[in-house]
Amino acid sequence: MVNPAVREPQQERGWATRQRILEAAIESLAELGWTASTVAVIANRAGVSRGATQHHFPTRESLFAAAVEYVTEIRLDEIRRGAAELPSGPRRTEAILTMLAGLYTGTLFKATLHMWVAAATEPALHDLVVRLERHVGRQAHRAAIDLLGADEAAPGVRQTVQGALDMARGLGLANLLTDDTNRREPILRRWAQILEHVLR
C-alpha cells in the first residue's frame, strides 16, 4: 500500500509539471505559432522530457486545448477577484469592460489566434477548437453577466453583453500589429454607456 504522505508530494509535483507545460505551450504558441510549437519545443521550454509531456497530454492538440482553457480560467479568476477593486457608480461598467477586453490583448489571445488559424486547415484540431471556443465563450459571458450584475432574462441584455464581448475580441485583433489603446478607450466607454442604458 502506498503511503499517503508519499502520494501527496508526488501529486503536487505532477500538478506543478502539468502547469509548467501548459504555460510553456501558451508562450510558445504566442511567440512561434502553431507549426513551430512542437511537443519537443514545449517540453524544452517547460524543463521536462518529451515523454513527461506526452504522459500528461497524449496529443499536441489536447495539449494546446488544455493550455488555452487553463490560462483562460486563470485570467477570468483574476478578473473576478479584481471586481472588489472596481469603482462604484457609472464608471464601474466601463471598468468591467476594460478588464474583459484585457482577455483579448495579451499572450493568451495571440496563442488562441494561432490555434484558430491552424484549426481552419487541420481536421484533428478543428472540432477540438470549436468545442473549446464554445466553453471559453460561455465562461467569459458568465463572468461578464456576474460582474455587471445583469439580469440575463431581461430583453436585450444577453445580446448586448455578447455584443460587447465580440467587440472586445475585434479590438484585440486591431491591437495585434500596433498599440490600439487610444482608439480602444473611447469605444469601450461608448459600449459602457450602451450597456448602462440596457441594464437600467
Side-chain angles (χ1 to χ4, degrees):
M1 181 176 176
V2 178
N3 185 331
V6 173
R7 188 186 297 119
E8 191 169 331
Q10 287 175 340
Q11 287 175 339
E12 288 175 5
R13 284 196 297 274
W15 280 109
T17 299
R18 179 184 170 89
Q19 185 176 338
R20 286 204 312 275
I21 294 168
L22 292 172
E23 289 171 355
I26 289 294
E27 290 168 5
S28 178
L29 194 54
E31 291 174 24
L32 306 176
W34 172 258
T35 304
S37 294
T38 63
V39 173
V41 166
I42 282 113
N44 185 57
R45 244 180 215 250
V48 301
S49 68
R50 180 172 176 163
T53 302
Q54 290 179 314
H55 168 73
H56 288 279
F57 306 100
T59 67
R60 190 162 71 124
E61 291 80 8
S62 66
L63 164 58
F64 284 115
V68 169
E69 184 173 6
Y70 165 76
V71 177
T72 298
E73 288 180 0
I74 286 176
R75 293 284 290 112
L76 286 170
D77 283 344
E78 288 171 356
I79 286 170
R80 289 186 184 101
R81 285 196 301 271
E85 308 296 323
L86 292 173
S88 57
R91 296 301 302 274
R92 181 177 174 82
T93 302
E94 184 181 340
I96 289 169
L97 281 185
T98 300
M99 286 176 68
L100 290 168
L103 287 170
Y104 305 104
T105 55
T107 301
L108 172 62
F109 186 58
K110 287 181 183 177
T112 305
L113 279 179
H114 282 293
M115 282 185 66
W116 287 351
V117 171
T121 55
E122 295 269 351
L125 192 60
H126 180 270
D127 291 346
L128 194 149
V129 168
V130 168
R131 287 195 304 272
L132 174 66
E133 281 304 305
R134 284 181 186 147
H135 172 71
V136 168
R138 283 193 298 267
Q139 293 286 90
H141 186 88
R142 184 76 259 154
I145 290 289
D146 291 345
L147 288 168
L148 291 164
D151 177 6
E152 203 170 5
V157 168
R158 178 177 179 78
Q159 294 83 358
T160 308
V161 170
Q162 187 58 54
L165 290 170
D166 290 344
M167 175 270 304
R169 183 185 289 117
L171 291 173
L173 283 169
N175 195 65
L176 277 175
L177 299 178
T178 58
D179 184 353
D180 208 41
T181 305
N182 290 336
R183 192 174 75 94
R184 185 165 63 249
E185 288 177 355
I187 293 173
L188 289 170
R189 192 170 303 119
R190 179 59 184 142
W191 262 99
Q193 292 167 355
I194 293 168
L195 268 173
E196 286 283 340
H197 177 73
V198 172
L199 296 176
R200 280 180 198 154

